[in-house]
């Protein structure tokens, strides 16, 4: 552990989000939150402006504190945009997607088999930050990944390539890509042996690229100078916090398996800390085994930057009918949010009703995309259920976080979108979970704190992330 033997008093954590910059003062001696504050992320000018504004609010609430460690994470600007290219869709391409999502990158497209000319054009148009190239087990097929390396080398865009495929083709693929001046990082194969995942080397490579690229945000390089450690991706910080809360530390038990949903301005992210084993006996598993710690990010389900896409998928007419509002009222609010992403709807207004409706819709879709699916297949032995992905039927807890949930008067209703729906039985969502709320938005902060003081981080999360079954509990801050 860092700083071993030092008398730690306070830590400062900062989370540079797509909409807001959140700061948190951690009282390490008493293992509690000393204060939190937030300000609009000033990504278009200098991120230090929003950071200093948040610090000023924090100081007004908690006073000037002697910080012995300062830690930060960032998803400002939406993080790194990534394309994953593999061989077989349900194998290496899926493994690539897992590595990207769990490391904090936003997977905007996944390709399988040999990249076509049309797909070359798509990649050019998408203009990603990173392309994760994989395919073939070690010693297996190497022809396709070599051809894909040649195709990728011809795309005249300035993105880095992480090679995480068949090690037998690594040197040749690197030479092909490097000849065109493209940055290439070679790491371990995401699937060295058939049906065996090895995504950690790719995750580390993505993280290193993230750290290097995120500093390009104006002002963040100056903030990095005052931080105790490197700025990391916010999703990675949340993942670290969630893993600690689930598993516990040094004899202190965690809470076990759970799902966490972060509804944000740019994306809706879903995390599960769960084995996802079949809940019924007459089942077979199809495809890759999924990791205990899993994250998916839905870039079309943001409540501000992508609200037009989200509202479009929700269907204006249906929302208007359920809310008793005109379609024009909903369209006007969507337009306002798109132009002014810092906008917060006021309690008791039609705008708040629209936000809550769209938040539940985002949760419903994101949870369906994250969980496993079931399909009935009839054989000579009778009905068999084929499951792809995680069976989350028995998940006991759903934790909500993110501005739209924390500002809502009815977060339980919003989180209810993640619960199993008998009208869509193919989606293996939690059937009878309890609902908890990260009321102070500390998941990322505690993930950062976990790197230097996991005992304090675990204690604070268990104290602060509490069950909510009634609206009054949230409104009264209980």
């Amino acid at each position: 552990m860092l700083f071993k033997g030092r008398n730690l008093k306070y830590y400062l954590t900062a989370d540079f989000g797509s909409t807001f910059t959140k700061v948190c003062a951690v009282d390490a001696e008493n293992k509690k939150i000393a204060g939190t504050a937030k300000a609009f992320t000033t990504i278009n000018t200098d991120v230090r402006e929003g950071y200093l504004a948040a610090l000023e609010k924090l100081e007004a609430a908690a006073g000037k504190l002697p910080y012995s460690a300062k830690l930060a994470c960032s998803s400002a600007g939406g993080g790194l945009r990534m394309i994953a290219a593999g061989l077989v869709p349900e194998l290496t391409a899926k493994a690539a997607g897992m590595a990207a999502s769990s490391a904090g990158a936003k997977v905007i497209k996944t390709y399988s088999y040999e990249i076509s000319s049309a797909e070359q054009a798509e990649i050019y148009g998408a203009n990603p930050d990173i392309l994760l190239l994989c395919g073939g087990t070690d010693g297996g097929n190497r022809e396709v990944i070599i051809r894909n390396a040649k195709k990728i080398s011809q795309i005249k865009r300035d993105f880095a390539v992480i090679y995480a495929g068949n090690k037998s083709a690594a040197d040749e693929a690197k030479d092909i890509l490097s000849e065109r001046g493209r940055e290439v990082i070679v790491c371990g194969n995401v699937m060295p042996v058939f049906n065996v995942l090895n995504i950690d080397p790719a995750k580390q490579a993505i993280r290193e690229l993230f750290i290097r690229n995120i500093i390009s945000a104006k002002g963040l390089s100056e903030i990095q100078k005052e931080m105790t450690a490197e700025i990391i991706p916010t999703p990675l910080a949340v993942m670290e916090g969630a893993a600690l809360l689930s598993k516990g530390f040094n004899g202190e038990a965690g809470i076990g398996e759970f799902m966490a949903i972060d509804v944000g301005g740019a994306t809706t992210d879903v995390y599960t800390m769960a084995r996802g084993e079949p809940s019924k006996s007459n089942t077979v598993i199809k495809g890759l085994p999924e990791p205990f710690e899993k994250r998916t990010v839905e870039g079309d389900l943001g409540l501000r930057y992508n609200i037009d896409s989200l509202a479009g998928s929700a269907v204006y007419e249906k929302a208007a009918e359920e809310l008793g509002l005109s379609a024009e009222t909903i369209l006007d609010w969507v337009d306002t949010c798109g132009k002014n992403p810092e906008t917060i709807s006021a309690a008791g207004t039609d705008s708040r009703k629209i936000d809550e409706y769209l938040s539940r819709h985002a949760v419903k879709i994101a949870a369906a995309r994250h969980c496993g699916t079931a399909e009935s297949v009839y054989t000579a032995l009778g009905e068999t259920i084929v499951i792809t992905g995680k069976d989350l039927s028995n998940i006991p807890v759903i934790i909500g976080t993110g501005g739209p949930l924390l500002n809502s008067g009815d977060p339980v209703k919003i989180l209810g979108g993640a619960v199993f729906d008998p009208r869509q039985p193919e989606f293996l969502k939690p059937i009878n979970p309890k609902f908890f709320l990260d009321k102070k938005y500390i998941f990322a902060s505690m993930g950062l704190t976990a790197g230097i003081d996991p005992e304090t981080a675990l204690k604070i999360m268990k104290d602060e992330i509490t069950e909510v079954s009634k609206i009054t509990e949230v409104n009264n801050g209980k």
Side-chain angles (χ1 to χ4, degrees), residues 244-426:
L244 177 64
L245 180 61
S246 172
K247 298 175 182 178
F249 173 76
N250 198 26
E252 177 68 23
I255 68 170
E257 297 190 346
F258 66 86
M259 170 187 281
I261 302 177
D262 183 355
V263 184
T267 66
T268 293
D269 296 357
V270 181
Y271 301 79
T272 46
M273 302 292 123
R275 290 179 294 276
E277 296 172 344
S279 56
K280 296 181 180 179
S281 57
N282 60 327
T283 58
V284 295
I285 305 296
K286 177 183 177 183
L288 287 176
E290 300 216 346
F292 180 86
E293 303 168 15
K294 178 182 177 181
R295 171 199 178 231
T296 51
V297 55
E298 307 304 338
D300 59 336
L301 301 179
L303 264 290
R304 288 298 178 263
Y305 289 96
N306 304 304
I307 192 171
D308 54 344
S309 172
L310 173 62
S313 65
V315 184
Y316 293 114
E317 292 76 10
K318 184 177 180 181
E321 181 182 350
E322 290 192 22
L323 297 175
L325 302 172
S326 68
E328 289 74 19
T329 298
I330 296 174
L331 285 167
D332 287 344
W333 178 245
V334 168
D335 184 60
T336 297
C337 293
K339 293 177 179 177
N340 305 285
E342 73 276 15
T343 301
I344 298 177
S345 56
T349 63
D350 289 343
S351 300
R352 178 59 60 84
K353 291 180 182 179
I354 298 169
D355 268 348
E356 290 179 341
Y357 179 92
L358 294 177
S359 295
R360 179 181 171 88
H361 187 70
V363 167
K364 181 178 181 179
I365 297 174
R369 293 175 181 175
H370 181 94
C371 72
T373 57
E375 178 185 6
S376 294
V377 176
Y378 290 90
T379 69
L381 299 176
E383 182 185 21
T384 297
I385 306 299
V386 178
I387 293 177
T388 303
K390 285 186 176 184
D391 183 348
L392 302 178
S393 304
N394 292 328
I395 285 283
V397 169
I398 296 178
I399 302 173
T401 190
L405 272 164
L406 304 186
N407 293 327
S408 170
D410 196 352
V412 171
K413 183 176 181 180
I414 294 173
L415 290 173
V419 175
F420 177 79
D421 184 347
R423 295 169 297 183
Q424 295 180 309
E426 66 273 22

Side-chain angles (χ1 to χ4, degrees), residues 191-202:
M191 187 178 293
V193 180
F194 180 75
N195 229 31
V196 175
L197 287 178
N198 177 41
I199 63 176
D200 284 343

Side-chain angles (χ1 to χ4, degrees), residues 429-478:
K429 296 180 178 180
I431 293 175
N432 188 32
K434 294 180 179 179
F435 298 104
F436 286 64
L437 203 61
D438 174 14
K439 297 177 185 176
K440 293 182 180 177
Y441 211 162
I442 61 168
F443 251 130
S445 175
M446 292 304 101
L448 291 168
T449 303
I452 61 172
D453 191 349
E455 185 178 346
T456 292
L458 179 59
K459 174 68 164 57
I460 290 175
M461 283 191 289
K462 291 175 78 170
D463 288 344
E464 294 286 349
I465 299 175
T466 53
E467 185 175 359
V468 285
S469 56
K470 298 177 182 177
I471 298 174
T472 52
E473 290 182 343
V474 178
N475 292 340
N476 294 334
K478 294 182 181 177

